[in-house]
Amino acid sequence: MFSTLKEDFKVVFERDPAVRSKLEICFCYPGFHALLMHRAAHALWRRKFYFFGRLISHVSRFLTGIEIHPGAKIGKGFFIDHGMGVVIGETAEIGDNCTLYHGVTLGGTSWAKEKRHPTLGNNVVIGSGAKILGPFTVGDNSKIGSNSVVVKEVPPNSTVVGVPGRIVLSDGAKPESRADLEHGRLPDPEAKAISCLFDQLRALEEKVNRLSGDASGKADDPSAGKAS
């Protein structure tokens, strides 16, 4: 237990530059509190004490603003930054060293009692407000941009942005070891599409101007239209 707590402290110090001390983590980090209570709730859930597992989960939600179903499986090195509004569903599975920012939803799309929530691989980073909906896998080392809505599988080493989420980077190269999500460096597919449209409009405008100039020159030439 103490080795696990030590690892939890280490994760917070690595991924949040605002932290100053372990005491601050113990009293002021809702993601840390939610993770501790989830471990207790999950242990009860696995032993089929479903009501008590849900009760601890509900108290955790009330205290932290983070809702983690006791049935969810969470790996090592998990970190929730800020945390308010995070929702993790019953059949969600989270790998090692994953990072979630506030407002993230790992949600389901089915009412059937089956696997209906996403599975995150290792080293996945999900930006604030992103929604991952459905029983698919987000591959290892992938990043999901803020406010993206992802509804289909994401291959490893990918970056996804937009609504619906689109893969904008997938080069197969492993990212840096530090978990981050530099939104200022993410490609903007909408801006790229608009830029392409403007390029086409400019080309059409030049063509129209050229044709108009040719027609005007012929109109001014008195010999134009006469048979030779």
Side-chain angles (χ1 to χ4, degrees):
M1 183 180 70
F2 290 107
S3 63
T4 301
L5 283 174
K6 185 177 179 181
E7 181 66 23
D8 292 338
F9 286 130
K10 180 182 176 183
V11 166
V12 178
F13 277 108
E14 285 178 348
R15 302 185 201 170
D16 188 355
V19 66
R20 296 291 184 271
S21 66
K22 292 181 179 179
L23 188 65
E24 185 179 353
I25 295 172
C26 289
F27 288 95
C28 304
Y29 273 69
F32 177 77
H33 304 152
L35 182 58
L36 294 183
M37 286 187 276
H38 171 71
R39 287 175 181 153
H42 185 64
L44 290 169
W45 187 267
R46 290 179 58 190
R47 291 165 176 78
K48 298 186 179 181
F49 293 105
Y50 299 127
F51 172 76
F52 294 105
R54 286 302 302 269
L55 181 61
I56 292 176
S57 172
H58 188 70
V59 171
S60 174
R61 176 188 178 186
F62 176 78
L63 294 175
T64 67
I66 298 169
E67 181 174 348
I68 307 177
H69 193 283
K73 299 176 182 178
I74 298 177
K76 299 177 181 178
F78 181 57
F79 179 59
I80 302 176
D81 196 3
H82 297 291
M84 181 61 69
V86 167
V87 177
I88 300 174
E90 177 187 5
T91 61
E93 299 177 49
I94 299 174
D96 296 339
N97 303 314
C98 291
T99 302
L100 273 59
Y101 290 88
H102 60 277
V104 167
T105 298
L106 304 183
T109 56
S110 170
W111 290 352
K113 292 183 180 298
E114 59 187 11
K115 170 67 173 173
R116 58 191 186 278
H117 299 92
T119 296
L120 306 186
N122 300 326
N123 308 309
V124 173
V125 182
I126 303 182
S128 56
K131 315 300 177 188
I132 320 298
L133 307 174
F136 53 84
T137 299
V138 177
D140 294 350
N141 309 309
S142 291
K143 299 179 180 181
I144 311 298
S146 291
N147 295 317
S148 299
V149 178
V150 184
V151 293
K152 59 183 179 181
E153 188 152 338
V154 177
N157 310 310
S158 299
T159 300
V160 177
V161 299
V163 181
R166 291 178 294 279
I167 298 171
V168 294
L169 289 176
S170 184
D171 57 7
K174 290 186 177 181
E176 299 177 0
S177 58
R178 181 177 175 81
D180 60 9
L181 192 58
E182 294 287 347
H183 285 85
R185 300 179 184 176
L186 293 181
D188 187 340
E190 286 83 4
K192 185 176 180 181
I194 292 171
S195 178
C196 290
L197 287 174
F198 276 121
D199 290 341
Q200 293 180 23
L201 285 174
R202 278 192 291 269
L204 287 172
E205 186 178 7
E206 291 174 0
K207 186 174 182 180
V208 169
N209 290 337
R210 186 169 59 251
L211 291 173
S212 298
D214 292 344
S216 176
K218 289 180 180 179
D220 293 339
D221 186 356
S223 62
K226 294 181 179 180
S228 57

